[in-house]
Every structure is written in C-alpha cells, then in structure tokens.
Amino acid sequence: MLIGGFYHIDPVLLAREPEKKEFPLRCDGVGQYQRKIYTGNGRTATSYILLNAVHLTEEDVILLPDYLCVSVINSLEVCPASFRFYRVKRDLTVDLEDLKSKIDEHVKVLYVIHYFGIPQPEAVVSGMLAICREHELTLIEDLTQTLYTMEEGRIGFGDYLVASTRKWMPVTDGGILAVKDGIDCPMVPLGNAYDEAVYRQLLISVMRDYYDAHPEADISYYLQLEREANKARYLDFTPREMTELTSRILFNLDHEESIRRRRENYGYLYEHLKEVEGLTLAGGPLDEENKYVPFGFVVLVENRSEFYDYLAKNQIIGEIQWVLPEEYYTPGEDARYLSEHNVMLQCDQRYGEKEMAFVADKIKEYFRR
C-alpha cells in the first residue's frame, strides 16, 4: 500500500448523518471561539477575513514568518496590502527580536504559524501579544499543523484562528475559521462548494485504490496527480462552503481515536529512528499529558532529493514543508536550511505499527548503504 499522500475518502463515515455539526477546537479550553465558519480550505478561511472583516489599503503591511508555504501568501493577496517577513529559527520558534525590528506604523496584521503539532513557546506568545496590544495589530493564528494540539498560554490566542482540516482526515476539502469573542467578523454567504480541486481530490482517492492493489506499479503518475490537485486548490481563493460530503466526515470522525493513533505512530518512529546516524529528527518525544498531536514525523537529511526518491520507490510518499517562495522575499538562513533539508513522513490514523515498522526499516536501510 501507499504510505503518505492524500487520503482515501471514507464511505462509512460519509453514509451516516452526523448527530452534531460542530468541530470542537482542543485549544479553546475556555470556549472563547464559538463563532466558526467552515470553508473549502484553510487558505480561503484566511481570505474570508481580509475580504469581510479586516480591510487593508496599499499603505498597510502584513507581517509574515519567513518559513511558510506560498499558498499562505496567495491567500493574503486578495487584499492590496504588502508583505514583510520576520525570521523563524531552526528550532521552528519565532525570532521575537527580529519580529520587533520589522514593526512600524504601516504594519496592521501579524500572521503566526505553529509548526508540526508543537505551538510557539509561551514567552514568544506573550511577546507577540504585547506587540499586538501596543501597535493595535490584528493577529491571525494558523493552526493548520496544530489542529489537535492543546496547551494553555501557547496556542489559541489570535483574533482569528484559521486551519486546513483537509490535511488531517479522509475528505476532499475543508477549512475552518474561528473568531474570538468580541472581534468583528460579518457572516456573509460563501461560494459554491464544488470546484476543480474537489474533483481532483476525488480522482486521487480512486487512483490510490489502484496503487494499493498494484504495489509494483510506477508511482510517478500518482505523484503528478497530487501535484496537479495541489495546484488546482490554490488557483481560486474565493471563500467557498465546505462540501456536504466533507462536513459529514468531519462531524462523524472519531477525533480522539485519530489523536491516539497519531501519537502512537509518531512514538514508534521516534524510538526506532532517533539513533540513526545521518538522520536528524526535527522534533523530540511527545509529552505524556496527551497535549501535543503530530501533524507528521519530520526529518532533516542532507541529500533530500535522493532520499525523497528512495522513499517514493518504496511506496512511501514524503512531503516537503516547504519550497520557500523566494520571489517574494529573501528568507533567513535558518528558514532556508529547514526548507532545503526537511521531509515529512505521514504517521496519521490510517496506519499502525505494521506500516510504521516498514517506514522505519526502509529509512534504516537507506542510511546503512
């Protein structure tokens, strides 16, 4: 079977009518984000804010981390504001001093990303909140890679929370916008849910069945389909509704089971790969309190292209997080290093110890060559 890549659509979850139509955010322990808007993807959740709630001019500036995906920038281009970038350190924490140096009277929005299931340190969060209060900035907090994580004082503090739910579960689309109590956000109609990206995601789900049944088949065409599906997703940033099939799955899914399996799979990979010479793990062991839930298992390797191709030939689909959009800015040294050396391995609820053992064994074989 293929390990990684886009999900199969789950027909069992799709066939049931949901009992509730609410996705609880684990980071919202005190219930201050009751207003939620379910969108076609996480980036259009961001676009919704700038089209309907936070109105910027050409003189305004949005402050962004220098370690990010181009789709974040694209979703913000629905407004006329320009961008400025602050540095992210190699340990994935915000360089607070660099951030402070980028603030002036033109900066109106601070965009913050939490990476790979681990929220920013409490001291960094406190510093960012102080900056936002002093300069009256709107704070957009991206939970795409920390959707299931909870840690008071470190996550769930923005004026607006945005996330892609699609990347966590067996659906064709899906995003969420949560608005903090007391923050303005008009509720406006969303566009039609179905578009080219949804179609391509369904096509990939069908193709996965073929590759699972034919493990000897050349995987290159499947990888091409995934690239085309991702490209289609970021051609149109019109805020659209979440599709009905995705909302059924989102509200029917056993999220606690997903959390348990992700943590178990991550723990297996960590214990079996932490001593491999030549392989650097981007994260450490998980906490015992069940607070942190991995987005994936991230490794850093020197010869990334060769390693990625080796995995693909063994039916393991790695993900690159991310190729930096240097046409917009010059990233810092740490962001560039992360971009050029990372591969994220999926350890989600689709898999168990058997699949994780296969992944670990193949990686060990690579570094023994």
Side-chain angles (χ1 to χ4, degrees), residues 204-262:
I204 287 171
S205 185
V206 173
M207 289 299 294
R208 283 189 69 99
D209 291 333
Y210 171 79
Y211 283 101
D212 282 348
H214 301 84
E216 75 287 349
D218 182 3
I219 199 175
S220 59
Y221 183 61
Y222 176 83
L223 295 176
Q224 176 186 330
L225 291 176
E226 286 212 346
R227 287 192 292 270
E228 291 174 354
N230 273 322
K231 183 178 180 180
R233 197 171 306 282
Y234 301 123
L235 292 176
D236 180 3
F237 287 87
T238 302
R240 298 180 181 277
E241 294 179 324
M242 181 181 289
T243 61
E244 180 188 358
L245 67 88
T246 287
S247 64
R248 280 176 172 257
I249 293 172
L250 174 67
F251 301 131
N252 277 325
L253 187 66
D254 185 342
H255 295 285
E256 291 301 321
E257 176 66 7
S258 295
I259 289 169
R260 183 188 67 80
R261 292 178 71 92
R262 282 175 174 271

Side-chain angles (χ1 to χ4, degrees), residues 89-210:
K89 300 177 183 179
R90 194 172 295 193
D91 64 1
L92 298 168
T93 63
V94 169
D95 185 332
L96 195 57
E97 292 306 311
D98 186 69
L99 188 155
K100 291 177 181 177
S101 74
K102 304 298 171 59
I103 300 288
D104 63 18
E105 70 275 12
H106 297 291
V107 176
K108 303 299 181 184
V109 174
L110 173 60
Y111 193 101
V112 178
I113 297 175
H114 302 288
Y115 301 100
F116 305 123
I118 305 298
Q120 291 293 324
E122 189 170 358
V124 170
V125 172
S126 297
M128 290 190 294
L129 289 173
I131 290 170
C132 289
R133 287 192 297 269
E134 179 182 355
H135 298 277
E136 298 183 345
L137 307 184
T138 296
L139 200 162
I140 300 176
E141 185 181 359
D142 191 330
L143 307 182
T144 293
Q145 296 193 353
T146 47
L147 186 65
Y148 285 144
T149 289
M150 54 186 289
E151 178 67 72
E152 187 175 355
R154 295 180 62 186
I155 188 170
F157 52 81
D159 298 311
Y160 304 94
L161 309 181
V162 295
S164 171
T165 56
R166 176 187 64 84
K167 296 182 177 71
W168 292 79
M169 52 199 72
V171 293
T172 59
D173 62 296
I176 187 169
L177 163 62
V179 185
K180 193 173 186 178
D181 292 349
I183 300 298
D184 181 49
C185 190
M187 299 295 166
V188 301
L190 296 167
N192 185 280
Y194 293 91
D195 63 2
E196 179 75 7
V198 173
Y199 161 74
R200 289 186 177 276
Q201 178 88 14
L202 284 168
L203 177 62
I204 287 171
S205 185
V206 173
M207 289 299 294
R208 283 189 69 99
D209 291 333
Y210 171 79

Side-chain angles (χ1 to χ4, degrees), residues 65-68 73 85 324-332 335:
D66 70 344
Y67 184 53
L68 81 173
I73 298 175
F85 298 84
L324 300 181
E326 296 192 38
E327 64 271 25
Y328 288 91
Y329 67 104
T330 300

